[in-house]
RNA sequence: GGGCGAUUAGCUCAGUGGGAGAGCGCUCCCUUCACACGGGAGAGGCCGCUGGUUCAAUCCCAGCAUCGCCUACCA
């Protein structure tokens, strides 16, 4: 007998097996012969710690990679992190602030040094947390976006795009975060609807009496107005085009101009134009001929500049707003103020309201790259799963705008551009002194000026620029490495829809551009994890569930399995801890099933079993054996199919259903008959139990790696496993079905359920042995029942079972009407006739309802004419069956009624 | 403004053009020799509303309602 704990305790077991796997190097594809299968992880940011999203994301990747590894693929999962420019810089700057320092006091080099220090201390946290949930990444290939190799890839890409004219520098309005003091791309701006005020301001005309009223949500920007625009077709205003206005508070004159984008129906139909601080105003200004002047009144820190006038200069933009409104009120120039709800852009990192600012920045001319990326999805060279996301992808890609890639921060890949201060010749001047180079130039390639005359661009690149190269830079590009040849394109990218544009689209563009092939075949987009009420988890709301606490409370296996079971749900996953608890019970169930089997095995039994196992499919197996093997085959088939279609929940549920409700509830109970006997059959049964357990564990291993390994190791010596770990054992795929066994089992189960029905409803204690009489409706059923009486006796706790074709229902029996058979339980006067009649009537009522529906259909000529034949046949069979059952129920009820009368 | 998604048992959600499902919760019976983190039985649903297509609609189409998300230069 083998001793196993009564319940599963993951403590210690998880660490033990993770260490074992990594020591053995199972997570590395090196030395494996199979076809390659690769995934690159969506690199988490080094400032973060593992949250539910990461957990879900990596659980799914791990399920896929473990599954493929077991199927014999040369499976590689590349882990890594990204440097998260703004976020990381923010963290370290906060640290400095505590010390009364800032990065400018420290200087660039020393600051960068500090950030690396921080990174080595805290940046690896998330990688360690991934190990806790069992992620089978190849840690020997772990990458960081600022690694030397990946940095080289970044410079290579920048230089090549620049040389092809796809990267350029321009001075135009960009989204500026006044707190981070950097430019942001359009995607890094989050729009949120907020309650604001629409202020109507009177602008007096300069050259005649009258005024134009403009409406604005940002009164402070009036200080930077350089025109008022109206629609040239607007009868109210068109005569005023060309007139001048006296701009209040600023002592300047502005022209009234015409622009067709002005909506006459909105506000007053007249718009103040602030080209330096509003995107649409910038566009209006540029459409005018000559262009309207640009007057910058807000600076990089969000404070008013000297251009705003002495009264306002230096004020914060929001304080200035108050002052401007107060001043205008005093001057009697406010017409009215209305409440107005509108959407405002915020910095995605620090939530500060964005200020559009005109600054020189680097851009990627994205349209040519986007075109290829659109085609790749259209041609199905890349499959997006679920494909409903394709539309979102297309609509963004088709309306894509140039990508601002420069950031005014220090932590990141410094832009590989130098400016020649001397510009000694015409060529250098023609190039604006710009030098773009992979390596630091020793002198100006245009004019030969010496290195001291060259000043490198201060800015760094958007972090997503390096992330976009991730699928090939992690594999060694720009070098032509073996890894790159073997594993690119990767097979699937698993990610949330929130970074479809940020990351997925950009990887596709860069992969196609620089590798000449897609970066991955499939993109599997999963839902985002929310709390049980559907709220986004966030620290400020305090509704964050820590995955590591889940692992601590329920074990990594139960937690992972929950994530898989949740995975199919649309855009949101409402995470509920109750379900994790439920799956912990499942782990325990599995544990105890294994415990049961092991308790019935002795060390001497190994040899007996091993020869039994080798020919487990022989026909000396019992019906139950053949049935469970067929169910196992069906489960394996469903699991593989579901996984190949990324239906993680279906796969998880198939296994759950099989192990708990078929293997444990039915098969193990049936096996006891044989196991507790002393017959030869015992060894067949034990072999079959072991075989099914072994296969169940292997099916489950990608979902629950730890407990399956622990259990598998305990049965290993009995099952003649060649491998030393379940992680590298084979995954069950195609096993033989046995339809005959499944069919026969159906009637046995019906008989057992029939008896249990009556017991349950009559509140007969499970301890009480009952007599049962089963009437079969044809000889075949009778035969099946007679051959397998032992199962019925055991599972229904029936002491005496009679089976026959022409049995009479004993007096005072409760009845259960089943498919092709009826079960009678003689209750010797204890039967509550009244209650039994009620029970049967209830059942009859259900059948009557179905019968009504089915009858209607079969009387409908259109149905008979137009419905497919198999449906009609099915419907007829159903009808016949219902009629039969109904008659049988009726007979039963009538007999009971007669009896009732007699008893009276 | 444009787009997408959701609405199914008390709760969280699967699902399918042809007899409504799971987990949890609830009710009842049971500490039977793997497991009470267990076993058995049961109750509970005009599948959001209104039309249309169809022999047949919870499923397809249109509209409406409610909620959510994405996207956008309406000041």
């Amino acid at each position: 007998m083998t001793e196993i704990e009564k319940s599963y305790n993951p403590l210690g077991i998880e660490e033990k097996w993770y260490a074992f796997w990594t020591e053995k190097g199972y997570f590395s594809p090196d030395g494996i012969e199979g076809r390659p299968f690769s995934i690159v992880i969506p690199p988490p940011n080094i400032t973060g710690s593992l949250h539910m999203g990461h957990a879900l994301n990596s659980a799914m990747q791990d399920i896929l990679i473990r599954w493929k590894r077991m199927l014999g693929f040369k499976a590689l999962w590349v882990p890594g992190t990204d440097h998260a420019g703004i976020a990381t810089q923010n963290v370290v700057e906060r640290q400095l602030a505590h010390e009364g320092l800032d990065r400018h006091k420290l200087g660039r080099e020393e600051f960068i040094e500090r950030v690396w220090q921080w990174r080595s201390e805290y940046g690896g946290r998330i990688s360690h947390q991934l190990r806790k949930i069992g992620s089978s990444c190849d840690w020997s290939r772990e990458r960081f976006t600022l690694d030397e190799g990946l940095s080289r890839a970044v410079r290579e890409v920048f230089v090549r795009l620049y040389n092809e004219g796809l990267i350029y520098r321009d001075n135009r309005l960009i989204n500026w975060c006044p707190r981070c003091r950097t430019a942001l791309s359009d995607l890094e701006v989050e729009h949120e609807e907020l309650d604001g005020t629409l202020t109507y301001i009177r602008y007096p005309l300069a050259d005649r009496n009258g005024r134009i009223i403009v409406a604005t949500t940002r009164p402070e920007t009036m200080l930077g107005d350089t025109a008022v625009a109206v629609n040239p077709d607007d009868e109210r205003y068109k005569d005023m085009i060309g007139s001048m206005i006296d701009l209040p508070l600023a002592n300047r004159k502005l022209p009234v101009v015409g622009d067709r984008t002005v909506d006459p129906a909105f506000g007053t139909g007249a718009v103040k134009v602030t080209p330096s601080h509003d995107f649409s105003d910038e566009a209006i200004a540029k459409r005018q001929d000559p262009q309207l002047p640009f007057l910058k009144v807000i600076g990089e820190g969000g404070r008013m500049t000297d251009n705003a006038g002495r009264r306002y200069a230096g004020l914060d933009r929001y304080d200035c707003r108050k002052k401007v409104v107060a001043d205008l009120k005093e001057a009697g120039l406010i017409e009215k103020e209305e409440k107005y709800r509108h959407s405002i852009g915020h910095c995605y990192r620090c939530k500060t309201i964005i200020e559009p600012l005109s600054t020189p920045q680097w851009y990627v001319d994205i349209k040519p790259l986007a075109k290829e990326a659109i085609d790749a999805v259209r041609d199905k060279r890349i499959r997006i799963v679920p494909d409903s996301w394709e539309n979102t992808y297309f609509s963004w890609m088709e309306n894509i705008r140039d990508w601002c890639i420069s950031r005014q921060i220090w932590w990141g890949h410094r832009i590989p551009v130098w400016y020649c201060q001397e510009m000694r010749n015409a060529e250098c001047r023609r190039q604006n002194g710009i030098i773009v180079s992979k390596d630091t130039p020793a002198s100006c390639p245009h004019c030969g000026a010496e290195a001291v005359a060259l000043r490198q661009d201060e800015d760094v690149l958007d972090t997503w620029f390096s992330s976009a190269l991730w699928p090939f830079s992690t594999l060694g590009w720009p070098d032509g490495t073996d890894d790159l040849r073997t594993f690119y394109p990767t097979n699937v990218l698993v990610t949330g829809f929130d970074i479809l544009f940020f990351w997925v689209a950009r990887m596709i563009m860069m992969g196609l551009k620089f590798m000449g092939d897609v970066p991955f075949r499939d993109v599997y987009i999963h839902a985002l994890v929310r709390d049980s009420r559907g709220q986004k988890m966030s620290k400020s709301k305090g509704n964050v569930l820590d995955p590591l606490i889940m692992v601590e409370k329920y074990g990594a296996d139960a937690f992972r399995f929950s994530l898989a079971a949740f995975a199919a749900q649309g855009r949101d996953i409402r995470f509920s801890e109750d379900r994790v608890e439920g799956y912990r019970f499942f782990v325990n169930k599995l544990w105890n099933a294994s415990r049961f089997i092991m308790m019935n095995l002795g060390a001497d039994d190994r040899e007996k079993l091993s020869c039994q196992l080798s020919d487990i499919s022989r026909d000396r197996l019992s019906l139950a054996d053949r049935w469970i093997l067929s169910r196992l085959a069906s489960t394996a088939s469903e699991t593989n199919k579901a996984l190949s279609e990324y239906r993680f929940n279906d796969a998880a549920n198939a296994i759950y259903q099989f192990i708990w409700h078929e293997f444990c509830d039915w098969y193990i109970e049936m096996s006891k008959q044989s196991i507790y006997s002393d017959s030869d059959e015992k060894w067949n049964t034990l072999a079959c139990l072991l075989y099914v357990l072994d296969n169940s564990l292997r099916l489950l291993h990608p979902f629950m790696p730890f407990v399956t390994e622990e259990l598998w190791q305990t049965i290993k010596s009995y099952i003649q496993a060649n491998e030393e770990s379940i992680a590298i054992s084979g995954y069950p795929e195609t096993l033989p079905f046995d339809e005959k066994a499944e069919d026969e089992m159906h009637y046995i189960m019906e008989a057992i359920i029939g008896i249990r029905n009556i017991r349950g409803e009559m509140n007969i204690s499970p301890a009480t042995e009952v007599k049962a009489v089963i009437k079969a409706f044809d000889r075949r059923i009778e035969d099946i029942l007679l051959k397998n009486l032992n199962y019925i006796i055991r599972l229904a706790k029936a002491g005496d079972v009679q089976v026959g074709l022409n049995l009479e229902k004993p007096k005072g029996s409760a009845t259960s009407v089943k498919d092709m058979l009826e079960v009678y339980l003689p209750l010797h006067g204890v039967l509550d006739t009244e209650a039994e009649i009620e029970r049967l009537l209830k059942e009859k009522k259900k059948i009557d309802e179905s019968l009504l529906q089915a009858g209607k259909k079969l009387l409908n000529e259109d149905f008979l004419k137009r419905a497919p034949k198999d449906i009609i046949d099915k419907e007829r069979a159903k009808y016949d069956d219902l009629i039969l059952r109904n008659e049988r129920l009726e007979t039963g009820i009538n007999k009971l009624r007669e009896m009732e009368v007699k008893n009276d």
Side-chain angles (χ1 to χ4, degrees), chain A residues 201-455:
Chain A
I201 310 174
R202 297 180 186 129
Y203 279 8
L205 289 167
D207 37 13
R208 53 174 137 157
N209 281 339
R211 56 193 166 39
I212 289 185
I213 298 169
V214 295
T216 181
T217 54
R218 301 197 58 194
E220 74 282 10
T221 61
M222 66 161 293
L223 300 169
D225 282 0
T226 59
V228 167
V230 298
N231 193 302
D233 297 330
D234 191 334
E235 293 297 332
R236 294 171 298 178
Y237 298 114
K238 71 180 199 190
D239 295 341
M240 296 186 191
I241 294 174
S243 308
M244 296 304 281
I245 275 172
D246 270 328
L247 181 65
L249 310 184
N251 203 17
R252 282 189 289 118
K253 287 196 179 359
L254 318 175
V256 178
V257 300
D259 190 284
R260 295 200 181 276
T261 62
V262 177
D263 177 7
F266 187 89
T268 60
V271 190
K272 60 190 270 316
V273 181
T274 321
S276 287
H277 299 286
D278 183 284
F279 289 104
S280 54
D281 292 0
E282 178 193 35
I284 292 174
K286 286 188 171 168
R287 274 194 292 269
Q288 293 297 317
D289 188 19
Q291 278 194 12
L292 298 174
F294 282 68
L295 186 66
K296 189 171 180 174
V297 291
I298 301 172
E300 296 179 351
R303 294 185 175 276
M304 307 308 289
T305 65
D306 291 345
N307 290 337
R310 213 179 312 146
R311 186 171 166 74
Y312 306 104
L315 285 177
D316 176 80
R317 51 193 170 149
Y318 293 99
D319 295 334
C320 179
R321 177 179 299 176
K322 286 181 200 146
K323 197 162 189 175
V324 163
V325 171
D327 290 348
L328 286 170
K329 271 186 184 155
E330 206 176 294
L333 293 173
I334 300 279
E335 177 80 9
K336 60 175 170 179
E337 288 174 299
E338 280 175 356
K339 282 203 168 157
Y340 185 62
R341 201 171 165 76
H342 63 133
S343 114
I344 299 176
H346 296 74
C347 170
Y348 83 130
R349 280 290 173 212
C350 72
K351 312 300 171 196
T352 301
I353 294 178
I354 290 305
E355 187 61 46
L357 273 193
S358 188
T359 54
Q361 303 289 346
W362 289 95
Y363 293 87
V364 176
D365 176 9
I366 206 84
K367 284 214 161 61
L369 300 171
K371 193 192 163 298
E372 300 296 320
I374 290 168
D375 290 346
V377 174
R378 222 163 239 136
D379 304 345
K380 306 284 172 198
R381 274 176 289 150
I382 293 178
R383 200 163 59 109
I384 300 183
V385 183
D387 61 9
S388 54
W389 286 104
E390 285 183 3
N391 283 335
T392 312
Y393 173 83
F394 288 135
S395 73
W396 188 70
M397 289 297 254
E398 276 156 10
N399 299 302
I400 198 165
R401 287 185 302 167
D402 284 358
W403 176 16
C404 174
I405 50 171
S406 41
R407 298 288 178 274
Q408 285 64 51
I409 54 175
W410 288 349
W411 177 241
H413 299 98
R414 191 150 174 189
I415 292 181
V417 169
W418 287 259
Y419 303 96
C420 177
Q421 308 292 292
E422 296 191 357
M423 291 195 264
R424 289 182 191 162
N425 61 20
E427 172 60 13
C428 197
R429 284 189 292 276
R430 201 178 63 78
Q431 301 276 357
N432 285 322
I434 291 176
I435 303 151
V436 178
S437 164
K438 278 184 274 184
D439 306 303
T440 307
S443 62
C444 176
H446 310 310
C447 69
E450 286 166 24
V452 286
L454 307 182
R455 186 175 52 76

Side-chain angles (χ1 to χ4, degrees), chain A residues 62-73:
Chain A
D62 197 46
I63 288 166
L64 290 173
I65 210 88
R66 283 181 184 270
W67 172 52
K68 291 289 180 178
R69 188 180 295 127
M70 288 175 77
L71 283 172
F73 283 79

Side-chain angles (χ1 to χ4, degrees), chain A residues 554-740:
Chain A
Y554 304 105
D557 292 317
F559 177 57
R560 289 168 56 115
F561 198 85
S562 312
L563 292 171
F566 274 126
Q569 304 162 14
R571 295 189 164 209
D572 299 344
I573 290 175
R574 294 192 188 199
F575 193 88
S576 109
E577 208 173 318
D578 288 350
R579 263 184 90 171
V580 187
E581 194 186 16
Y583 289 121
R584 179 164 66 94
F585 296 162
F586 174 55
V587 176
N588 196 54
K589 186 76 180 175
L590 175 72
W591 179 263
N592 275 287
S594 311
R595 178 164 168 260
F596 166 75
I597 295 169
M598 293 310 293
M599 281 170 72
N600 287 288
L601 291 174
D604 325 335
D605 298 341
R606 290 204 169 92
E607 264 177 48
K608 271 184 198 152
L609 279 164
S610 55
C611 66
Q612 306 284 333
L613 269 166
S614 57
D615 51 13
I616 193 133
S617 55
R618 293 279 173 82
D619 43 33
R620 47 188 167 83
L621 295 174
S622 70
L623 173 61
D625 297 340
R626 289 190 295 126
W627 173 76
I628 197 66
L629 290 173
S630 186
R631 295 311 304 145
L632 172 69
S634 161
T635 306
S637 152
E638 166 61 15
T639 305
N640 281 285
K641 186 159 188 293
L643 284 178
S644 70
E645 293 164 7
Y646 305 106
R647 290 181 288 114
F648 295 91
N649 62 326
D650 288 339
N653 286 331
I655 302 172
Y656 179 95
Q657 189 67 25
F658 172 75
I659 290 180
W660 198 316
H661 298 301
E662 297 185 313
F663 187 52
C664 293
D665 287 351
W666 286 98
Y667 182 68
I668 288 187
E669 290 311 317
M670 291 180 146
S671 74
K672 288 176 180 173
Q673 185 73 32
S674 150
I675 286 187
Y676 294 151
S677 76
D678 218 359
S679 62
D680 288 345
E681 204 197 333
K682 175 176 176 179
W683 300 108
N684 289 338
T685 306
L686 281 168
C688 189
L689 278 164
L690 271 171
Y691 177 86
V692 176
L693 178 62
D694 170 31
N695 278 278
S696 300
L697 292 174
R698 284 188 279 132
L699 277 175
L700 195 51
H701 180 258
F703 300 85
M704 294 188 167
F706 298 110
V707 69
T708 51
E709 180 75 282
E710 176 74 12
L711 291 170
W712 195 80
Q713 292 292 340
T714 68
I715 66 165
K716 204 174 88 174
S717 60
Y718 290 93
I719 57 172
Q720 289 185 304
N722 295 320
E723 305 83 4
E724 60 187 348
S725 163
I726 192 173
I728 50 163
S729 70
Y731 201 73
E733 267 188 295
T734 44
L735 302 170
F737 286 83
D738 188 336
E739 275 158 33
K740 187 156 172 281

Side-chain angles (χ1 to χ4, degrees), chain A residues 28-237:
Chain A
S28 163
D30 297 336
I32 305 288
E33 284 305 318
R35 280 167 56 204
F37 180 89
S38 57
I39 301 180
V40 290
I41 200 170
N45 139 8
I46 50 166
T47 65
S49 66
L50 195 80
H51 58 58
M52 283 291 178
H54 295 128
L56 173 72
N57 179 257
S58 19
M60 291 199 287
Q61 290 171 82
D62 197 46
I63 288 166
L64 290 173
I65 210 88
R66 283 181 184 270
W67 172 52
K68 291 289 180 178
R69 188 180 295 127
M70 288 175 77
L71 283 172
F73 283 79
K74 186 181 176 73
L76 169 64
W77 183 12
V78 180
T81 45
D82 87 36
H83 63 278
I86 296 176
T88 311
Q89 177 152 329
N90 282 350
V91 168
V92 178
E93 285 190 300
R94 267 202 300 278
Q95 211 181 43
L96 289 179
H98 278 295
E99 302 166 24
L101 286 169
D102 66 53
R103 66 175 160 123
H104 298 282
K105 282 186 196 156
L106 225 56
R108 186 163 187 148
E109 251 174 63
E110 207 171 319
F111 177 75
I112 300 278
E113 191 48 46
R114 280 290 293 252
V115 186
W116 276 107
Q117 228 174 64
W118 183 91
R119 188 249 175 185
S120 68
E121 222 166 307
Y122 304 105
R125 183 169 47 163
I126 203 154
S127 296
H128 283 96
Q129 292 171 326
L130 283 171
R131 290 169 167 92
K132 290 255 181 225
I133 59 170
S135 307
S136 63
C137 310
D138 181 358
W139 297 106
S140 71
R141 285 176 166 83
E142 185 173 10
R143 294 289 182 269
F144 179 51
T145 44
L146 277 177
D147 283 349
E148 171 48 30
L150 278 71
S151 301
R152 205 146 51 82
V154 164
R155 291 195 300 271
E156 176 82 25
V157 164
F158 188 98
V159 170
R160 278 168 63 174
L161 288 175
Y162 178 83
N163 288 340
E164 288 186 43
L166 292 171
I167 281 185
Y168 64 93
R169 194 162 125 110
D170 192 23
N171 193 352
R172 67 168 88 137
L173 281 199
I174 40 90
N175 301 295
W176 181 269
C177 174
R179 202 215 62 83
C180 302
R181 288 185 181 247
T182 179
L184 299 172
S185 73
D186 295 336
L187 286 176
E188 287 165 315
V189 179
E190 286 175 353
H191 294 272
E192 197 190 346
E193 284 230 323
L194 291 175
D195 291 315
T197 308
L198 192 59
T199 307
Y200 289 73
I201 310 174
R202 297 180 186 129
Y203 279 8
L205 289 167
D207 37 13
R208 53 174 137 157
N209 281 339
R211 56 193 166 39
I212 289 185
I213 298 169
V214 295
T216 181
T217 54
R218 301 197 58 194
E220 74 282 10
T221 61
M222 66 161 293
L223 300 169
D225 282 0
T226 59
V228 167
V230 298
N231 193 302
D233 297 330
D234 191 334
E235 293 297 332
R236 294 171 298 178
Y237 298 114

Side-chain angles (χ1 to χ4, degrees), chain A residues 420-544:
Chain A
C420 177
Q421 308 292 292
E422 296 191 357
M423 291 195 264
R424 289 182 191 162
N425 61 20
E427 172 60 13
C428 197
R429 284 189 292 276
R430 201 178 63 78
Q431 301 276 357
N432 285 322
I434 291 176
I435 303 151
V436 178
S437 164
K438 278 184 274 184
D439 306 303
T440 307
S443 62
C444 176
H446 310 310
C447 69
E450 286 166 24
V452 286
L454 307 182
R455 186 175 52 76
Q456 186 171 8
D457 197 300
E458 294 294 322
D459 294 347
V460 302
L461 289 164
D462 183 1
T463 307
W464 295 105
F465 189 89
S466 48
S467 307
L469 318 181
W470 189 251
F472 48 96
S473 63
T474 52
L475 295 173
W477 192 89
D479 297 333
T481 59
D482 282 344
D483 273 4
L484 197 60
R485 277 187 293 272
T486 309
F487 295 111
Y488 191 96
T490 64
N491 293 77
V492 57
L493 181 85
V494 178
T495 189
F497 61 81
D498 51 333
I499 51 175
L500 180 62
F501 307 140
F502 270 114
W503 191 48
V504 180
R506 287 167 178 169
M507 280 190 287
I508 296 176
M509 292 190 273
M510 291 301 188
L512 288 165
K513 177 74 185 169
F514 291 97
M515 292 296 297
D517 198 354
V518 296
F520 25 73
R521 306 280 181 215
D522 290 353
V523 178
Y524 175 66
I525 295 182
H526 61 247
L528 299 186
V529 183
R530 297 173 188 281
D531 75 3
S532 59
R533 289 197 317 252
Q535 304 276 312
K536 208 167 181 170
M537 289 189 188
S538 74
K539 278 182 197 148
S540 52
K541 279 186 200 144
N543 62 348
V544 181

Side-chain angles (χ1 to χ4, degrees), chain A residues 858-874:
Chain A
L858 290 169
L859 286 175
N860 186 339
E861 273 184 42
D862 287 327
F863 173 72
L864 297 173
K865 226 167 16 191
R866 292 176 199 252
K869 189 173 174 303
D870 57 319
I871 294 289
I872 297 174
D873 290 347
K874 205 173 139 194

